[in-house]
Amino acid sequence: MQCRLLRGLAGALLTLLCMGLFSLRYHLRLSPKSVETPRLSPPSPRLHELQLQDVFIAVKTTGAFHRSRLELLLDTWVSRTREQTFVFTDSSDEGLQERLGPHLVVTNCSAEHSHPALSCKMAAEFDAFLASGLRWFCHVDDDNYVNARALLKLLRTLPQALDVYIGRPSLNRPIHASEPQPRNRSRLVQFWFATGGAGFCINRKLALKMAPWASGHHFVDTSARIRLPDDCTVGYIVECKLGGRLQPSPLFHSHLETLQLLRAAQLPEQVTLSYGIFEGKLNVIKLQGPFSPEEDPSRFRSLHCLLYPDTPWCPQQVAR
């Protein structure tokens, strides 16, 4: 009887001991020291104010214009934007390679002035921009002068959180294209586009969305589908595929407009300028000195001295 009682007490004590240990483990497990606090990612740093170093400037050219056009650009505006500027061409050139180094991009594109050749170069520009990680892509031709100060001023005014495609339309109406559809059908689409001859800019947010139609071989394929050149294809992708809109700007200029209408006082505010033959006549900006039209037929050297009078080869005391 006594042994049975002792065994019962021992069993009760063992039960109480087990319950106590279980309770202790339970409370320890809920202790704040043992509960893992989820690690929150640090807040994303706010984008710094846009700098010229954030802009990728692509110049499209061809071997035939290396001497007549590119050397002029290298002596003028590219000398102020060398780290941001990349020249896309179709021919190797030792002289240009020495001056530009890795900023000369020799593509595998044809030297022809055809839709496939032009689209091939635009695709190379677009892919190089995506790989750069920079915030803005700006395309110009080899007959454009890029005013870096005005460009930066313009881009800083644009909403960074939205899709932005900005440039100058060459037409006063949308362009129409026939878009292929399944079962050998097609539909008529219309859209605005910024002429490549005046230059245009696209922010990274929009460029990433364009990639399925614009990166690698897709750009050439898209251009072939609508049978339009590269600048039209950019507008088609933005407006017809993504539902975006071109933001027209009067600050971009091509040789297909009357450049003499720009007053000298307006020139420092323009983002791009150009020169060329329009309606059978030489079409250049109207600017007095410091170089004569014979010395400076494009007027780019005179413009550069107006914007950067400290340039070593500019005559001293250029009137602003």
Side-chain angles (χ1 to χ4, degrees), residues 24-43:
L24 179 62
R25 289 179 63 189
Y26 177 79
H27 284 89
L28 282 174
R29 212 161 33 184
L30 293 183
S31 168
K33 291 183 179 180
S34 62
V35 175
E36 292 189 6
T37 302
R39 294 184 178 180
L40 300 177
S41 300

Side-chain angles (χ1 to χ4, degrees), residues 165 167-171 173-175 191-196 200 228-236 239 246:
Y165 168 42
R168 188 187 191 96
S170 61
L171 304 174
R173 54 174 174 75
I175 191 173
F191 55 91
W192 290 93
F193 74 97
T195 177
F200 59 82
L228 288 173
D230 52 329
D231 51 0
C232 298
T233 302
V234 171
Y236 166 76
E239 296 210 349
L246 169 67

Side-chain angles (χ1 to χ4, degrees), residues 112-246:
E112 295 179 358
H113 196 73
S114 62
H115 291 182
L118 296 174
S119 294
C120 176
K121 287 176 187 170
M122 183 68 77
E125 295 177 28
F126 189 81
D127 286 345
F129 164 68
L130 290 181
S132 74
L134 297 180
R135 290 164 61 181
W136 281 93
F137 167 69
C138 294
H139 160 89
V140 295
D141 279 351
D142 56 10
D143 58 355
N144 288 129
Y145 185 102
V146 177
N147 182 349
R149 291 171 183 158
L151 173 63
L152 186 59
K153 181 180 178 181
L154 172 66
L155 296 183
R156 282 177 172 172
T157 67
L158 301 173
Q160 302 298 307
L162 302 179
D163 297 340
V164 182
Y165 168 42
I166 188 167
R168 188 187 191 96
S170 61
L171 304 174
N172 58 6
R173 54 174 174 75
I175 191 173
H176 292 81
S178 179
E179 184 183 63
Q181 299 291 304
R183 300 180 181 177
N184 293 323
R185 295 181 178 179
S186 64
R187 71 179 180 118
L188 192 66
V189 295
Q190 65 175 26
F191 55 91
W192 290 93
F193 74 97
T195 177
F200 59 82
C201 295
I202 294 172
N203 66 351
R204 188 169 195 82
K205 187 173 185 292
L206 176 57
L208 291 172
K209 294 179 182 179
M210 294 171 61
W213 300 276
S215 64
H217 65 87
H218 297 296
F219 192 94
V220 177
D221 294 343
T222 304
S223 176
R225 279 173 57 83
I226 60 173
R227 300 178 181 179
L228 288 173
D230 52 329
D231 51 0
C232 298
T233 302
V234 171
Y236 166 76
I237 295 171
V238 172
E239 296 210 349
C240 296
K241 292 301 183 182
L242 296 174
R245 288 292 177 266
L246 169 67

